[in-house]
């Protein structure tokens, strides 16, 4: 479900979520952040026990929520289906009250995911105020507990008060007079701009940008003609239209090969008609998006005809994302036909001295290492919303200079991720009989329970700390220009560090750069510490060629803390820290040493697990 989430790094996830919530709620509309917490697999998602160490919980899986709650105060939080260390999250008072409310200061309402948890009374006591969608048996259980004295009325009063406090903030309760006539054109411009802003240029060897007007494009890949705007399931967004790649290119002034267009559109229509017919009568059809068509492998003769007529080739590779199924190695890897498509098009066009661009219309990482040397450019466009084709064309044509950076590491192999040893790899679908879910006997690994043996070593924290080869590192992204970084300086006052660095556009065109600040602790070489961790990031304004600006990256001294399980406290290691300023986790441009005073701050003694995890060692 990567399209619903932001990053392998909790700082990025928390900061972007907080900005998202603040933006929405500034319009008087509430939000719900989810799924709180540890909801990292779809297989048996309603019963799986996520066995996570207190430290990994605090530093990785709760930290993003903590940042979002403290910096944006969402109106509601949705609890997750799964258990954490043997307790359903919606039934955990430690999670829903002690941490969320008492420690973080959350003021809003907590709701379950649909049919989440097993014990309605325990959910009320936990501070999970509303049960979705609500069942008669839950009502009966609560009423019986009140009558018997098992449940105190003061608990229900608190739950009800929070629900009512949410209701009275709503536009409907306040009598908001809506027009039912939103400015859809203005909104379309926002999504077009924001999608382009987040696209990541992974490779560019003289292919991009390409002048749009009159340029003949051979457009390959089923996804070019059936663009993926977003994820499926409950995260799907209904939209008036989706601009495909071909529409976006044509809107920009490119000329797209008509024979390819006719071939692909007929092939896709026939394929989808067959799949819709096969799903007739299936009650789950409304939840299940149609599988993507198998990729077409062009013949040698058709390739030659396309090469003769085109100035450049563009291949779009797509991946669906959404509810119900976990990612598998086969979904991560390119299919045999996709590889043949890339190899065939690149060979034919390069033989004629023409360029090939690959566009990735994806919601999460895919394998790139085995084929990325073949095309001349690779643009990761993600799932770019209703204006997606226009956004891609803006970047390919140079109307927008790409400035996005990867929020997750692209591994060489699926199995390279530290979590892959403890993750369901069969893509088993969760049961859809939500109201009658049965628990297993607790014996099935990665189904009944999942051991988070990688602990805090998630994403780049693992790859960088253990020197593992990657295809593209965390924080990576190219531009049509280049940037030079100066030597950083540090100001410290009132517990706040301000790291200042000058960034110069050293190239020939205007562009923006995302500057990343990592911190390496005095004991970062220890087996239980990451080599470095992201602590702040910022994007420059649009810099003209040769222009310089000062970027200030801010972090609190408390942001340097690690969670000490023994004392149940946040501890900042004293000594000489390195503040590293870079363009990715593996492209550090400059650094400065800072002497940090040791400190500690107590936290609640929660989430203790009897299970000892086999932590990674370097």
């Amino acid at each position: 479900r990567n399209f619903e989430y932001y990053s392998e790094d909790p700082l990025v996830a928390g900061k972007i979520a907080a900005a998202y919530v603040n933006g929405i709620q500034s319009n008087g509309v509430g939000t719900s952040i989810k799924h709180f917490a540890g909801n990292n697999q779809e297989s048996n998602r309603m019963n799986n026990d996520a066995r996570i160490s207190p430290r990994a919980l605090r530093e990785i899986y709760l930290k993003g929520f903590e940042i979002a709650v403290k910096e944006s105060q969402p109106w509601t939080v949705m609890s997750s289906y799964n258990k954490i260390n043997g307790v359903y999250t919606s039934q955990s008072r430690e999670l829903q009250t002690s941490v969320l409310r008492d420690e973080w200061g959350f003021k809003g309402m907590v709701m379950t995911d649909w049919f989440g948890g097993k014990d309605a009374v325990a959910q009320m006591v936990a501070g999970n105020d509303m049960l979705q969608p609500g069942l008669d048996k839950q009502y009966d259980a609560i009423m019986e507990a009140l009558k018997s004295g098992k449940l105190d009325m003061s608990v229900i009063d608190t739950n009800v008060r929070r629900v009512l406090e949410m209701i009275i903030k709503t536009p409907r309760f306040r009598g908001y007079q809506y027009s039912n006539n939103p400015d859809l054109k203005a909104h379309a411009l926002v999504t077009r701009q924001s999608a382009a802003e987040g696209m990541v240029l992974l490779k560019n060897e003289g292919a991009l940008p390409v002048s749009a007007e009159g340029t003949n494009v051979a457009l390959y890949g089923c996804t070019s003609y059936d663009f993926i705007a977003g994820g499926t399931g409950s995260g799907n967004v209904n939209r008036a239209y989706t601009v495909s790649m071909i529409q976006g290119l044509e809107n920009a002034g490119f000329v797209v090969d008509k024979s390819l267009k006719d071939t692909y559109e007929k092939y896709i229509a026939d394929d989808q008609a067959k799949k819709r017919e096969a799903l007739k009568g299936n009650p789950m059809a409304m939840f299940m998006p149609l599988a993507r068509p198998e990729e077409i492998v062009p013949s040698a003769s058709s390739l030659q005809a396309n090469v003769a007529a085109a100035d450049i080739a563009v291949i779009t590779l797509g991946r669906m994302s959404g509810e119900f199924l976990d990612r598998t190695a086969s979904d991560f890897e390119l299919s045999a036909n996709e590889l043949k498509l890339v190899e065939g098009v690149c060979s034919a066009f390069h033989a004629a001295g023409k360029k090939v661009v690959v566009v990735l219309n994806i919601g999460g990482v895919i394998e790139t290492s085995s084929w990325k040397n073949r095309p001349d450019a690779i643009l990761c466009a993600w799932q770019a919303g209703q204006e997606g084709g226009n956004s891609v064309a803006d970047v390919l044509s140079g109307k927008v200079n790409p400035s996005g950076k990867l929020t997750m590491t692209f591994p060489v192999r699926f199995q390279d991720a530290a979590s892959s040893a403890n993750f369901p790899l069969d893509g088993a679908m969760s049961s859809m009989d939500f109201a009658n879910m049965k628990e297993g006997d607790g014996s099935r690994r990665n189904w009944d329970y999942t051991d988070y043996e990688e602990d805090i070593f998630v994403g780049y924290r693992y790859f960088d700390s253990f020197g593992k080869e990657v295809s593209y590192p965390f924080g990576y992204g190219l531009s049509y220009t280049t940037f030079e970084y100066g030597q950083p300086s540090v100001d410290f006052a009132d517990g706040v560090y301000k790291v200042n660095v000058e960034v110069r556009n050293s190239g020939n065109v205007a562009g923006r750069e995302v500057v990343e600040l990592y911190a390496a602790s005095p004991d970062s070489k220890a087996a239980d510490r990451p080599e470095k961790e992201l602590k702040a990031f910022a994007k420059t304004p649009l810099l003209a060629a040769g222009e310089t600006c000062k970027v200030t990256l801010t972090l609190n001294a408390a942001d340097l803390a690690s969670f000490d399980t023994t004392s149940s406290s946040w501890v900042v290691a004293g000594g000489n820290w390195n503040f590293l300023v870079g363009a990715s986790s593996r492209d550090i441009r400059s650094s400065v040493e800072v002497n940090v005073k040791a400190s500690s701050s107590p936290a609640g003694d929660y989430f203790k697990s009897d299970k000892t995890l086999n932590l990674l060692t370097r």
Side-chain angles (χ1 to χ4, degrees), residues 527-559:
D528 65 341
R529 296 300 297 264
E531 178 192 79
K532 56 182 172 295
E533 294 180 286
L534 184 73
K535 295 301 177 184
F537 59 94
K539 182 176 281 193
T540 69
L542 187 67
L543 298 177
E547 187 178 0
T548 298
C549 76
K550 183 176 82 169
V551 174
T552 299
L553 300 148
T554 302
L555 70 154
N556 298 315
D559 296 335

Side-chain angles (χ1 to χ4, degrees), residues 54 58 94 98-99 102-104 563-565 567-570 601-608:
R58 291 286 191 164
E94 288 78 11
S98 297
V99 170
D102 297 344
E103 282 192 34
W104 299 350
F563 190 77
D564 180 71
T565 303
S567 62
S568 192
S569 59
W570 290 99
S601 175
D605 191 15
Y606 313 127
F607 310 121
K608 286 199 168 179

Side-chain angles (χ1 to χ4, degrees), residues 50-280:
R51 297 177 177 177
I52 313 173
S53 75
R55 182 182 178 193
L57 260 175
R58 291 286 191 164
E59 293 188 20
I60 304 295
Y61 300 104
L62 296 182
K63 179 58 71 172
F65 285 99
E66 179 182 0
I67 293 169
V69 166
K70 289 181 175 179
E71 296 188 6
S72 66
Q73 277 294 334
W75 285 15
T76 69
V77 169
M78 179 182 282
S79 56
S80 57
Y81 284 128
N82 54 285
K83 304 170 188 172
I84 293 179
N85 297 333
V87 180
Y88 281 107
T89 61
S90 62
Q91 297 170 198
S92 170
R93 185 168 178 83
E94 288 78 11
L95 187 63
Q96 308 301 344
T97 296
S98 297
V99 170
L100 180 62
R101 299 182 190 281
D102 297 344
E103 282 192 34
W104 299 350
F106 177 63
K107 305 298 183 187
M109 183 191 85
V110 177
M111 68 181 81
T112 64
D113 207 338
W114 273 44
F115 304 106
K118 298 290 182 183
D119 187 333
V121 175
Q123 289 169 315
M124 296 295 96
V125 173
N128 201 117
D129 307 298
M130 188 172 79
L131 310 182
Q132 294 196 109
L135 300 172
D136 288 344
K137 65 180 182 181
Q138 293 174 317
Y139 172 85
D140 293 341
I142 291 171
M143 294 304 294
E144 177 59 34
L146 285 170
K147 290 175 184 176
S148 68
K150 179 182 175 183
L151 179 62
D152 194 282
M153 183 60 81
S154 64
V155 173
I156 296 299
D157 286 344
T158 298
N159 300 135
V160 170
R161 188 191 76 245
R162 290 170 183 154
V163 175
L164 294 177
E165 286 173 344
M166 187 275 295
I167 289 172
I168 64 174
K169 291 196 294 186
T170 62
R172 181 183 179 88
F173 183 86
R174 295 187 173 196
Y176 175 71
Q177 298 299 307
Y178 60 88
S179 69
N180 210 27
N181 186 32
D183 190 346
L184 295 180
K185 289 185 178 179
H187 296 177
L189 289 175
V190 171
T191 190
R192 179 172 179 169
Q193 180 269 336
S194 60
E197 188 92 7
M199 291 180 184
V200 183
L201 185 61
L202 298 177
K203 179 181 179 180
N204 189 27
E205 294 182 350
L208 298 175
V210 58
S211 175
E213 200 61 43
T215 297
N216 292 289
V217 178
L219 187 58
Y220 296 93
C222 294
T223 310
S224 293
Y225 303 87
D226 185 17
F227 202 71
I228 305 168
T232 61
S234 64
N236 180 45
V237 176
N238 292 321
R239 53 199 172 273
Y241 58 84
T242 297
V243 178
S244 67
M245 275 284 294
I246 184 171
Q247 292 170 323
L249 292 174
E250 289 177 339
N251 291 342
F254 291 97
V255 179
V256 179
D257 188 297
K258 187 176 185 306
S259 66
L260 278 171
K261 174 183 176 181
D262 293 343
T263 298
Y264 272 104
E265 288 184 344
K266 182 179 186 307
Y267 173 72
I268 293 168
D270 291 346
D271 176 86
Q272 301 296 278
K274 289 177 185 176
K275 288 170 179 169
R276 274 192 291 270
E277 183 66 28
L279 283 173
K280 274 188 177 178

Side-chain angles (χ1 to χ4, degrees), residues 274-433:
K274 289 177 185 176
K275 288 170 179 169
R276 274 192 291 270
E277 183 66 28
L279 283 173
K280 274 188 177 178
N282 186 333
M284 298 310 303
M286 64 179 290
F287 295 105
M288 300 169 63
L290 295 178
R292 308 292 294 171
E294 180 57 274
E295 200 53 79
I296 298 174
V297 179
S299 65
S301 58
S302 66
L303 277 172
Q304 291 307 313
N306 299 149
V307 169
D311 300 309
I312 192 171
V314 175
I315 306 168
T316 308
L317 301 175
R319 288 291 184 278
M320 299 297 290
S321 62
E323 285 195 87
F324 310 127
L325 286 172
D326 285 315
R327 296 293 303 276
T328 62
S330 60
D331 181 57
F332 170 78
E333 294 162 356
L334 266 59
S335 69
N337 279 14
E338 287 175 322
L339 286 171
K340 289 176 184 176
L341 172 65
V342 172
E343 291 167 359
V345 171
C346 288
S347 295
F349 275 76
H350 288 165
K354 297 179 179 180
K355 303 286 189 181
V356 178
V357 177
V358 171
V359 174
L360 301 180
N361 181 198
I362 57 180
V365 298
I366 66 169
E367 191 274 316
T368 54
S369 183
S370 69
W371 58 268
K372 67 181 183 180
N373 62 317
R374 294 183 178 276
D376 303 284
I378 303 172
L379 176 68
C380 184
W382 306 116
Q383 294 171 342
Q386 67 183 42
E387 288 284 326
N390 287 332
S391 301
V392 173
D394 287 343
V395 174
L396 297 182
S397 65
K399 182 178 179 181
V400 173
N401 188 346
S403 58
K405 297 292 186 81
L406 292 180
T407 62
M408 68 283 284
T409 307
F410 274 49
V412 173
R413 292 167 294 275
F414 186 91
Q415 293 77 12
D416 288 346
S419 60
S420 64
N422 300 283
F423 192 79
L425 302 181
D426 57 3
M429 178 177 273
S430 301
S431 169
M432 298 299 294
D433 186 8

